[in-house]
Amino acid sequence: MTTKEHNIDPKMLEILVCPFTKTRLEWSKDKTELISYAARLAFPIRNNVPLLILDEARQLTDEEQRNPHQK
C-alpha cells in the first residue's frame, strides 16, 4: 500500500483546530493525517479533505504521544 501526501493549503492548516480541544493540529510525518496531541487523536485526510470527526479518528499510541514526530 502506498501512502499519498495531501496538499492542504497551509493557510487552511493554520486555522484548523481540533474539534474537541480547540488546539493546533499538526501534520503526521507522512502527511496522511492531522494530529491533535492534546486529544491524542489522529484525523485522516481523504481526497485532500481532513475528516475531523471522532468516528474517523484513531487513537494515538503511547509511543506516538511520547515521540510526536515519529509517524
Side-chain angles (χ1 to χ4, degrees):
M1 179 177 164
T2 58
T3 58
K4 179 184 174 194
E5 265 191 37
H6 296 281
N7 296 318
I8 294 177
D9 184 337
K11 290 184 186 215
M12 186 169 105
L13 187 57
E14 288 177 18
I15 62 171
L16 284 177
V17 295
C18 172
F20 306 103
T21 64
K22 309 300 185 229
T23 56
R24 183 175 169 237
L25 295 168
E26 296 184 33
W27 284 110
S28 62
K29 186 177 178 184
D30 61 7
K31 294 197 174 188
T32 61
E33 298 175 307
L34 291 177
I35 308 291
S36 170
Y37 291 104
R40 296 182 58 108
L41 294 172
F43 298 97
I45 300 168
R46 296 198 188 115
N47 299 320
N48 291 325
V49 176
L51 301 177
L52 302 178
I53 56 175
L54 189 57
D55 288 346
E56 294 294 331
R58 71 172 180 84
Q59 194 77 38
L60 293 180
T61 65
D62 290 340
E63 183 66 24
E64 289 172 314
Q65 190 68 22
R66 280 192 298 274
N67 300 306
H69 300 289
Q70 288 283 0
K71 186 170 189 316

